[in-house]
Amino acid sequence: MPDGLQNKVIFQQVAELLQSARQQVLRTVNSTMTITYFEIGRIIVEEEQNGKDRAEYGKKLLKDLSKQLTKEFGRGFSIDNLENMRKLFLTFSKSETLSRIFEIQKKQSLTEEFNKPDYQTLASFFKLTFSHYIFLMRIEDEKERQFYKIESEKHNWSVRELKRQYDTALYTRLALSRDKEGVLKLSEQGQIIEKPKDIIKDPYILEFLGLPELHQYSESQLEEEIISKLEHFLLELGHGFTFVARQERITFDDKHFRIDLVFYNRILRCFVLIDLKIGELKHQDLGQMQMYVNYYDREMRLEDENKTIGIVLCQTKSEAVVKYTLPENNEQIFASKYKTVLPSVEALKELLEKK
C-alpha cells in the first residue's frame, strides 16, 4: 500500500476514534447535567413541601434561589429554568420506569434511610439533553412521552427532529395500526420492527416537501420533490431504510414498466417498492403493485432475503377497495395515505380513540 493511502487510512481510523470519544463525552456531560437538574428539582420540591403556604413560599424560594445561584454560577438559573428543573423531578420521578427501578432498589436497600435512586440508576434513565426533557414534559400522556423518549435515545434524535416527529403524531400514527398490546409495547420498547406491517404508517406526513394539499402537482413532481429531500423522506419512512433507485424499469413481453421508488430495509432484509398516486386509490393500482412485488421476488430477491414489500402512497383511499382487492392473509402489499401539510394531532388522536 502506498504511504499516502496508508496514512489516509490511519487518519480515518484515528478520526473515527476521536469522534466517537467526543460523542461519548458529550453524552456523559448531557446525562450528568440532566441528573444534576433533576436533583435540584428534588431539593426544591422537598423544600416546598415543608413550607406553610406552598404557592407563595414556592415563588419566593425560586426567586431567592435564582438570585443566589446566578450570582455564584452565572447564567442558566433563571426562575423559569429552576421551574423547569422542578417540573423535571415532578414529571419523571413519577414515571413507571423510574418508579419501578426505585421500588426495586428500595427493597434491596439495607438501610431504612433509602429515599432516592443512585447516580448510576439515574444515568441509565436520563440519556438525553435537558432541552429534550423540557420538550418531553409538554406531552401529557405518559405512555406517549415514554415512546418519544425511547425513540430519541435509540436513534439519536436532535430536539428539532423530536419536535418534528411529535408534530407529525408519529406515536398516534403507529398506534392506529396496532392492538392494545401493540400500543403498550410502543410505550415500553419504542418501535420494534419484526414483520412488514411494523414499518407501515398511515398516513405518511410529507410536509417537508412544501407542496399544497390539493391536486396542484403531478406524480412526477411529487417524486421529484421527494428525491430532492430524500434525507427527510428516509426519516419519515422510518428505521433501516436505504435508497436504491427511482423509476426502476422492468421489462417482460416487450412491455416496459417503471417503479417510482425502490428502497431496501436492512432490518427486515427485503426490498420495499413505493408507487406514488395522485388522487384516490384504484384497485388497478394495487394490482400493478402486486405485479412489481412478484417480479422482485422472483427475479431480484436473493435466497437469504425476505419477501418484497410494496407500498402504494395515495391521497385518498377506500378501505373496502383495499380489503377486497388484497388477499386476506396479505403480508406484502399496503396502501397508505399521505398528507403534504401537518394534520391536527387532535384529529389523529380521535381516530385512535374510535379504533
Side-chain angles (χ1 to χ4, degrees), residues 250-257 291 295:
I250 58 177
T251 303
F252 41 85
D253 293 338
D254 296 325
K255 294 182 179 179
H256 305 296
F257 302 89
M291 178 181 68
Y295 177 86

Side-chain angles (χ1 to χ4, degrees), residues 154-165:
K154 284 200 304 188
H155 305 290
N156 198 30
W157 284 351
S158 64
V159 175
R160 182 177 180 181
E161 182 59 24
L162 166 60
K163 288 180 179 178
R164 182 198 173 266
Q165 296 290 1

